[in-house]
Amino acid sequence: MNQKSGDRTLSEIAETNPGAVSGEHESEHVHHKDVVGAKMGMWLFLLTELLLFTGLFLVYAVYRYYYTKDFQLAGYDTHILFGTVNTMILITSSLTMVLSIAAIQRGKKWLCVTFLSSTIGLALAFLVVKYVEWSTEIHAGIYPGSPTLLNKPDGVVLFYGLYYMMTGLHALHVIAGMSILVVMLIFVLRDKITQEDHTKLENAGLYWHLVDIIWIFLFPLFYLIN
Amino acid sequence: MSLLASLLPSVLHHAAATDDVARFIIGWDIFLFVAIVGTMFFFVFKYNKKRHPRAVNIHGNAVLETLWTVFPVALVLVMFYLGWSAYIQTRVVPKSAMDVKVIARQWEWSFQYMNGKTADTLFLPQGRPVKCLLTSVDVIHGFYIPAFREKNDVIPGRVRYLMLYPEHVGNYEITCSQYCGLDHALMMTRLIVLPKEKFDQWLKSGLTGEQISDALTGRVGT
Amino acid sequence: MANPAMEPGNGAGAEAVPVHSFLENTGKHKGIFAWILSTDHKRIGILYMISIFSFFAVGVCLGFLMRLEMLVPGPTGKIFNAQEYNALFTLHGVIMMFLFVIPGIPATLGNFFLPIQIGAKDVAFPRINLLSWYLYITGAIIILLSLFGNGLPDTGWTFYVPYSIRTGTDVTMAVFGVFILGFSSILTGLNFLTTIHRLRAPGMTWFRMPLFVWALYATAWIQVIATPVLAITLLLIMVERLFHVGIFNPVLGGDPVLYQHLFWIYSHPAVYIMILPPMGVVSEIVATFSHRTVFGYKMIAMSSLAIAFIGYLVWGHHMFVAGETQTAQFFFSLLTFLVAVPSAIKVFNWVATMYKGSLDLQPPFLFLLAFIMLFCIGGMSGLVLGSLATDVHLTGTYFVVAHFHYIIFGGAIFIFFGALHYWLPKMFGRMYNKKVADWALGILFVGFNMLYFPMFILGYEGMPRRYFAYLPKYETLQHISMVGSWVLITGLIIMFWNLLHGIFKGERCGPNPWGGTTLEWTIPSPPPTENFETIPIVTHEPYYHPEADPEIQREPVPVAK
Amino acid sequence: MSLSVWESEHQAETQHKEYHEEHVSYSLYILIWAALMALTAATAVIAGINLAALTLVVALLIALTKASLVVNYFMHVRFEDRIFKIFFAIAGFTIFVIFVLTFSDVYFRR
């Protein structure tokens, strides 16, 4: 019996399928919590997100190889300050995220609410900085299809195409993550997420950290080229 | 075995080499197909429920399984090698090669020679290697000469090349093999291989239709 | 219940138990809502089945019309004009690929039988399972909406740039539809993976899982890992069309070949999404009708994983003539040849399973015989395409069309039909007319070969694909092929009529009409909502035929009391 | 209930590792956060220094370090079952393969 770790053990099956064990017949499906299963599903989903961005990173790598000079040229014009500030914001929000989970694990509901709200606040701050950054770029006439951009070398056009595409897709993920966290906050307030049952919050946290990880890679690729 | 040749006559050394590879692979395919399907129907006949009411469990046979793993690996490696070596010959560009630019657009071909002459039919001299430089002005096309067993995609913004070795005088089809929009199916032209002196004449001053057909049929024209 | 393999065909005991089947047990909703709001994996499987086969019917009609255009050579425009023909093959490809074969067996029969075969009551995330059906329908509707846009998309199912960026037709809508379908596929995949990892019945170790489950496991990994790459690629096309970003547009310095890389990074493994589940079904059918255990169980299971893995390494063989560098061509051709080996091993194992079996020539088994023949032809023609010299000649011609129809239609879809004949009696508790099923298969087989075999020859003669007009020299073979399409459709109509008639009016059959040994044959037909009254404890390999193992003492399957 | 019967029968199989509720301390999280902030500052500063071809390599190595900190501690992979690590390895390996094979074409292009 090569029961691998991570697979369900017998006691767990018995626990989550009491109907199965007692032999009682139920007319409706009853779904019980399988905490590791839920996490496993979430991780698989995160892997798909990772692969989604891999496609973009691959495109980036290829064009960077084709147009090394142009990419460096274009990289001068991105705003390292905005990038660094946003990195720090996201890292801090990741911290408040884990702290909120640690708090609920210890049964401290209001501490959890505080940390969770700060995570949401930091996510909002990230978006504000992103907005300011993009408007600066657009003000300078740099956006897809703009005349200023089209006059530049091919590599620069591609750099900014990817810049808007990748940071834009990432911003969408921030918005999605933020919305999930707002729902989680409501759940915590309504005691649907508690010390005993906080898988939802943990999974939301995993998603949030993934958003952070992707940014950790976007940051050097777009802001630290010199 | 000239089955493949009867489908589409090969006109040059490389085409014959391609056909050889195809013959080797298809030959093995037919042999394996007959062996596998033959065995299968033999079993279906022999171990039919009526003839063989009681099955016997056999979980596996290490020797047999190793054998039928190793043998296919060896066989496909040979197939790979043959295909690769026949292909790689066509990528070598000899010094004596003549450059011709092949420009594809929706939905026509045009050919540009080194002296600036352009044509919508590809004229080539017999016996001289030709390096076709392929480029497209709009979308991806496919430059395909079935009789030569040669093909390459024509990609906008990039230049690819294709080697042709016209060995025999003749008139061959050129088609587009990569879907390119509305009239993809009509994007056809001809490749006309002329004797060297006729080709030079064509390149300098052009030839009439009659002179070309004379050259192709081997009649001595004036 | 004891193992029915010991008392084949004995279903009387099951009917005595007052258990409502999933068909009768509607839950808290009424009418159609009892279906479209159900989270029961069996009902979702049937929802998928209805929707998938509806689109299959549409795809078949489009294919029939494409063949009809081949009535006369040349651009006569008598039947369809160029634009119409281009839209036809695009929609045929998009519908058949993304709406039929890719969801295909996993979403329908996989959904239905995966939990039962591992002894679970449902999949791990039943609500996400329903969501994935809704995503499927949403994607399909969005694709259909392109019918009412600026014109039918005319890019081919591959959406190659820069044509897909430049064309004026409604590509954005179609691409968006496929994008949504991708998420449906991902969710199915991660659901299955979690189900297999977490919900196996006690004693159901990895090497006691039926081979169909192994195949679905390998498939699910491809769905989870490969599909996102397609999603991002399609997203880039949409962005390109809407905002002119220039990522693939050669005018702005983009590289159209890079698009092909990204597209095939998904779409080659997708071929294995299509063919692995049918391979799993073949292993089930061959074991059941040979009445013995499969030959080389571990080898078959492991070759599923091997195929899933090597399937990732060969996408570049779709681009041999797109001007790949020679290094890439060398590796991709070599790896392509190697991916043939695990498939070959499977075929050898299946044939060896018939050795010293007791072969029962029921309709599913006949489908399997047809599958092995067609799949061999398809796979072996793949060797011709894997070889560089011949690929250069044959890629982009009818030869490729013939090759992948032999694999996907002759392979995957024929065995899908075989699976329907195998499992419908279990799903609905009624048997179709077996004689009619045999005749339908015969007609299908003849029609199929008539339709596609001439294409191998046409391809070698140099007939490029996606041509609405052709040269007169191809006329005879084109006509044979066209008539073949009519024969094939006749076979399809007879087969589906017979199956539907069987579902509604067929004779009742017991829980185990074929003498199968996997867990689904131990429960009543149709299965009850909860699948198992008591979760079984598994004590032996999946294809355990005690009667074929005289030296081993028969031991009954213990059931938790 | 037969539950207890099962448990005794399969005692050997039932690892009482259960689901990990190991409480990582607040201070460890804060320590990790500090490390991440320091690395961010470092990478921004290094970007100013001209390291020629090494710039990108160094930046990516720092990013990789940061990502592994987040994955291991914030995302708990370090404390998770082996299977989660295997999943991660599968995805990582696939990404690696995709890059290598694409570059087998792209790298030799020029």
Side-chain angles (χ1 to χ4, degrees):
Chain A
M1 311 234 166
N2 56 343
Q3 203 81 23
K4 275 196 208 165
S5 61
D7 293 338
R8 264 160 52 118
T9 52
L10 285 172
S11 64
E12 281 177 286
I13 293 171
E15 220 165 71
T16 53
N17 261 336
V21 183
S22 64
E24 92 196 35
H25 186 80
E26 289 147 310
S27 58
E28 265 298 307
H29 270 48
V30 180
H31 306 299
H32 298 274
K33 299 266 176 210
D34 171 14
V35 176
V36 179
K39 258 194 172 178
M40 189 178 273
M42 191 64 202
W43 266 105
L44 288 168
F45 181 71
L46 295 185
L47 294 184
T48 68
E49 291 278 13
L50 205 60
L51 265 293
L52 187 83
F53 275 92
T54 297
L56 285 171
F57 282 118
L58 183 66
V59 173
Y60 177 93
V62 169
Y63 287 147
R64 192 188 162 101
Y65 178 71
Y66 282 155
Y67 301 102
T68 315
K69 287 259 155 56
D70 288 353
F71 265 49
Q72 282 170 351
L73 195 73
Y76 276 121
D77 296 339
T78 51
H79 304 277
I80 189 166
L81 183 66
F82 288 134
T84 315
V85 168
N86 257 349
T87 310
M88 294 186 164
I89 289 176
L90 268 195
I91 287 174
T92 312
S93 76
S94 259
L95 173 71
T96 52
M97 187 70 233
V98 282
L99 291 179
S100 78
I101 295 168
I104 199 85
Q105 279 175 344
R106 290 164 173 79
K108 295 177 181 161
K109 178 179 168 185
W110 291 105
L111 193 59
C112 170
V113 167
T114 317
F115 281 132
L116 202 51
S117 320
S118 14
T119 312
I120 295 166
L122 286 164
L124 210 59
F126 177 90
L127 289 174
V128 170
V129 174
K130 188 94 266 179
Y131 173 79
V132 174
E133 181 189 336
W134 274 30
S135 5
T136 323
E137 306 282 9
I138 291 169
H139 219 69
I142 293 176
Y143 52 87
S146 76
T148 327
L149 195 56
L150 288 180
N151 280 331
K152 300 200 172 190
D154 285 350
V156 177
V157 177
L158 288 173
F159 179 89
Y160 277 103
L162 284 168
Y163 165 80
Y164 278 105
M165 185 69 207
M166 291 172 86
T167 57
L169 190 62
H170 178 263
L172 282 180
H173 279 76
V174 172
I175 293 169
M178 204 172 81
S179 320
I180 294 169
L181 292 182
V182 169
V183 175
M184 292 304 130
L185 184 64
I186 295 168
F187 280 174
V188 175
L189 288 172
R190 291 191 182 167
D191 287 328
K192 285 197 176 161
I193 291 173
T194 57
Q195 184 175 12
E196 289 74 38
D197 177 16
H198 53 264
T199 316
K200 282 198 190 75
L201 187 63
E202 279 192 70
N203 279 347
L206 287 177
Y207 186 82
W208 189 249
H209 296 309
L210 182 92
V211 172
D212 186 18
I213 288 178
I214 288 164
W215 183 260
I216 285 176
F217 283 100
L218 290 180
F219 173 55
L221 293 182
F222 286 110
Y223 299 91
L224 300 182
I225 308 185
N226 279 320
Chain B
M1 187 174 145
S2 60
L3 182 69
L4 294 179
S6 72
L7 291 181
L8 180 63
S10 37
V11 292
L12 70 165
H13 177 72
H14 168 66
T18 303
D19 285 350
D20 282 342
V21 176
R23 206 167 289 140
F24 179 85
I25 298 176
I26 294 171
W28 269 103
D29 280 356
I30 293 171
F31 170 75
L32 288 172
F33 181 82
V34 170
I36 293 170
V37 175
T39 315
M40 182 175 86
F41 277 108
F42 173 71
F43 288 165
V44 168
F45 178 77
K46 175 128 190 248
Y47 300 114
N48 197 300
K49 202 177 175 182
K50 290 183 201 113
R51 283 193 186 75
H52 197 252
R54 199 178 178 86
V56 179
N57 268 347
I58 299 165
H59 285 84
N61 180 323
V63 178
L64 206 56
E65 286 176 69
T66 315
L67 213 65
W68 73 41
T69 309
V70 173
F71 170 69
V73 169
L75 184 63
V76 294
L77 286 180
V78 174
M79 287 177 179
F80 161 73
Y81 172 75
L82 291 175
W84 168 254
S85 56
Y87 168 73
I88 205 71
Q89 289 166 13
T90 69
R91 302 304 292 172
V92 182
V93 183
K95 281 238 165 63
S96 61
M98 175 179 98
D99 284 1
V100 179
K101 279 187 193 163
V102 176
I103 298 145
R105 58 167 55 78
Q106 287 169 325
W107 292 273
E108 60 189 22
W109 299 99
S110 66
F111 307 96
Q112 199 176 352
Y113 294 83
M114 293 321 283
N115 67 352
K117 188 180 175 81
T118 57
D120 58 6
T121 305
L122 178 59
F123 285 90
L124 295 179
Q126 184 190 5
R128 184 172 173 192
V130 178
K131 184 185 185 187
C132 300
L133 298 163
L134 315 169
T135 189
S136 162
V137 298
D138 37 46
V139 301
I140 301 179
H141 300 274
F143 183 62
Y144 179 31
I145 310 168
F148 282 59
R149 313 287 191 271
E150 282 277 34
K151 165 190 298 139
N152 210 314
D153 282 1
V154 187
I155 293 158
R158 301 282 188 276
V159 178
R160 303 283 195 248
Y161 77 93
L162 184 72
M163 288 304 303
L164 296 176
Y165 296 84
E167 285 167 21
H168 304 286
V169 168
N171 181 341
Y172 312 102
E173 256 166 59
I174 295 175
T175 61
C176 177
S177 61
Q178 186 63 270
Y179 175 69
C180 58
L182 188 69
D183 280 340
H184 166 58
L186 307 180
M187 195 170 157
M188 289 186 175
T189 185
R190 310 295 301 183
L191 159 61
I192 295 176
V193 181
L194 295 173
K196 181 118 187 28
E197 62 279 11
K198 288 283 173 194
F199 173 79
D200 290 340
Q201 199 184 337
W202 173 82
L203 193 60
K204 263 188 223 115
S205 51
L207 291 172
T208 64
E210 202 175 321
Q211 283 171 313
I212 292 168
S213 61
D214 281 352
L216 286 174
T217 50
R219 261 184 293 161
V220 185
T222 42
Chain C
M1 242 186 82
N3 187 349
M6 285 172 260
E7 323 140 53
N10 179 9
E15 269 150 48
V17 182
V19 170
H20 288 295
S21 79
F22 77 102
L23 289 169
E24 298 153 12
N25 190 350
T26 56
K28 59 186 166 206
H29 302 288
K30 291 272 166 315
I32 192 171
F33 293 105
W35 287 90
I36 63 173
L37 293 180
S38 170
T39 54
D40 181 353
H41 67 101
K42 297 180 285 300
R43 289 198 165 218
I44 295 171
I46 287 172
L47 283 180
Y48 260 118
M49 211 174 250
I50 294 166
S51 24
I52 275 175
F53 278 110
S54 311
F55 289 113
F56 177 64
V58 177
V60 167
C61 290
L62 295 172
F64 165 76
L65 295 175
M66 281 164 71
R67 282 289 99 200
L68 203 61
E69 166 64 22
M70 297 299 149
L71 190 63
V72 277
T76 51
K78 285 271 162 52
I79 300 166
F80 294 109
N81 63 31
Q83 189 63 39
E84 287 161 352
Y85 185 79
N86 295 345
L88 274 183
F89 72 68
T90 303
L91 285 176
H92 174 76
V94 169
I95 289 176
M96 285 303 204
M97 286 292 177
F98 296 112
L99 291 175
F100 180 61
V101 230
I102 289 180
I105 290 183
T108 55
L109 297 167
N111 241 327
F112 200 105
F113 286 106
L114 168 75
I116 303 182
Q117 285 200 324
I118 60 170
K121 294 197 161 196
D122 206 321
V123 291
F125 309 111
R127 272 174 296 191
I128 288 181
N129 201 13
L130 183 63
L131 173 66
S132 85
W133 180 74
Y134 274 99
L135 286 174
Y136 171 85
I137 290 295
T138 312
I141 289 172
I142 291 172
I143 289 175
L144 293 182
L145 280 179
S146 69
L147 296 172
F148 308 103
N150 306 327
L152 293 165
D154 63 338
T155 58
W157 75 278
T158 48
F159 303 115
Y160 269 14
V161 292
Y163 187 72
S164 60
I165 304 175
R166 294 167 60 110
T167 180
T169 56
D170 208 351
V171 176
T172 315
M173 201 62 118
V175 164
F176 185 57
V178 177
F179 178 79
I180 300 284
L181 287 173
F183 284 97
S184 160
S185 189
I186 287 173
L187 292 181
T188 305
L190 72 84
N191 215 337
F192 283 7
L193 286 179
T194 314
T195 307
I196 295 171
H197 272 282
R198 303 293 303 166
L199 296 184
R200 280 174 289 125
M204 177 64 82
T205 56
W206 284 89
F207 287 115
R208 284 182 190 164
M209 296 196 312
L211 288 164
F212 182 53
V213 177
W214 270 106
L216 289 175
Y217 184 73
T219 310
W221 268 114
I222 308 178
Q223 286 176 309
V224 166
I225 297 281
T227 316
V229 181
L230 176 76
I232 193 66
T233 313
L234 297 177
L235 195 65
L236 285 171
I237 289 195
M238 283 187 273
V239 170
E240 196 91 322
R241 281 183 70 88
L242 297 172
F243 305 111
H244 310 288
V245 178
I247 287 174
F248 296 129
N249 192 348
V251 178
L252 298 172
D255 184 359
V257 179
L258 184 59
Y259 167 83
Q260 297 181 16
H261 273 297
L262 286 165
F263 180 82
W264 290 111
I265 285 174
Y266 164 75
S267 295
H268 193 77
V271 173
Y272 299 100
I273 297 180
M274 302 173 210
I275 198 68
L276 274 171
M279 285 173 159
V281 175
V282 169
S283 307
E284 298 294 314
I285 293 179
V286 78
T288 298
F289 293 95
S290 300
H291 293 110
R292 52 158 283 192
T293 187
V294 290
F295 187 95
Y297 169 88
K298 280 195 185 176
M299 203 73 160
I300 296 182
M302 286 300 121
S303 71
S304 286
L305 294 183
I307 289 173
F309 174 68
I310 313 178
Y312 273 97
L313 311 178
V314 300
W315 79 80
H317 67 220
H318 295 267
M319 304 157 58
F320 281 156
V321 299
E324 267 181 332
T325 54
Q326 281 166 17
T327 327
Q329 285 171 330
F330 181 90
F331 285 120
F332 281 127
S333 175
L334 181 62
L335 292 165
T336 301
F337 272 109
L338 291 177
V339 81
V341 175
S343 305
I345 292 173
K346 286 199 174 199
V347 173
F348 297 146
N349 278 312
W350 293 324
V351 174
T353 301
M354 297 175 198
Y355 176 67
K356 292 205 174 170
S358 175
L359 307 184
D360 192 1
L361 303 187
Q362 299 283 357
F365 191 72
L366 296 179
F367 270 95
L368 177 137
L369 297 181
F371 161 87
I372 289 190
M373 285 189 270
L374 300 177
F375 183 69
C376 278
I377 297 177
M380 288 167 174
S381 61
L383 295 176
V384 183
L385 290 168
S387 154
L388 271 161
T390 40
D391 180 79
V392 167
H393 173 40
L394 295 172
T395 189
T397 69
Y398 267 41
F399 195 93
V400 172
V401 178
H403 161 70
F404 72 68
H405 279 92
Y406 264 88
I407 293 277
I408 291 172
F409 194 169
I413 300 177
F414 260 63
I415 213 65
F416 197 168
F417 296 159
L420 292 180
H421 286 85
Y422 181 55
W423 274 320
L424 279 187
K426 166 55 62 184
M427 296 167 74
F428 298 100
R430 288 175 188 273
M431 184 61 80
Y432 47 83
N433 183 329
K434 291 182 188 172
K435 261 213 183 97
V436 177
D438 292 349
W439 274 101
L441 170 63
I443 297 169
L444 278 176
F445 188 76
V446 170
F448 179 89
N449 284 298
M450 237 176 113
L451 170 54
Y452 295 112
F453 200 84
M455 291 189 186
F456 280 125
I457 304 168
L458 283 167
Y460 211 92
E461 288 180 332
M463 167 86 209
R465 62 198 278 212
R466 296 176 171 177
Y467 270 29
F468 78 103
Y470 58 93
L471 297 172
K473 64 176 175 178
Y474 302 124
E475 197 169 0
T476 317
L477 287 170
Q478 290 280 17
H479 283 173
I480 294 175
S481 171
M482 184 179 64
V483 175
S485 76
W486 304 343
V487 178
L488 184 72
I489 286 175
T490 314
L492 285 176
I493 292 170
I494 296 174
M495 188 193 77
F496 278 111
W497 176 83
N498 184 38
L499 287 176
L500 284 173
H501 190 264
I503 289 173
F504 292 107
K505 300 236 170 79
E507 265 179 57
R508 285 203 175 275
C509 60
N512 192 3
W514 314 121
T517 55
T518 37
L519 286 177
E520 77 269 29
W521 304 110
T522 64
I523 59 173
S525 316
T529 306
E530 292 285 317
N531 296 346
F532 299 94
E533 270 184 83
T534 49
I535 294 288
I537 296 177
V538 182
T539 55
H540 53 70
E541 50 171 293
Y543 310 108
Y544 180 72
H545 284 273
E547 79 280 7
D549 231 351
E551 60 273 28
I552 294 176
Q553 275 249 308
R554 293 180 184 190
E555 48 177 298
V557 188
V559 179
K561 290 264 156 63
Chain D
M1 288 271 271
S2 59
L3 207 139
S4 53
V5 182
W6 279 26
E7 296 239 87
S8 57
E9 245 181 43
H10 299 273
Q11 197 63 262
E13 269 185 47
T14 314
Q15 307 151 357
H16 281 285
K17 265 169 81 184
E18 262 301 300
Y19 166 63
H20 301 274
E21 197 79 328
E22 286 165 37
H23 289 197
V24 181
S25 67
Y26 292 108
S27 54
L28 179 64
Y29 287 140
I30 292 169
L31 206 65
I32 298 294
W33 170 79
L36 288 170
M37 293 300 262
L39 283 168
T40 306
T43 193
V45 170
I46 290 171
I49 308 164
N50 192 2
L51 288 172
L54 276 177
T55 317
L56 183 71
V57 179
V58 171
L60 282 181
L61 279 180
I62 293 180
L64 219 60
T65 317
K66 285 160 72 181
S68 69
L69 284 177
V70 173
V71 168
N72 275 315
Y73 292 93
F74 286 176
M75 296 172 97
H76 279 246
V77 164
R78 212 189 133 89
F79 313 110
E80 216 66 73
D81 275 328
R82 191 166 52 118
I83 197 74
F84 287 83
K85 288 163 200 162
I86 294 173
F87 281 7
F88 224 80
I90 290 173
F93 188 69
T94 311
I95 294 170
F96 172 75
V97 162
I98 289 172
F99 268 83
V100 167
L101 283 175
T102 306
F103 269 81
S104 79
D105 184 23
V106 170
Y107 182 75
F108 298 98
R109 174 81 57 229
R110 290 192 303 185

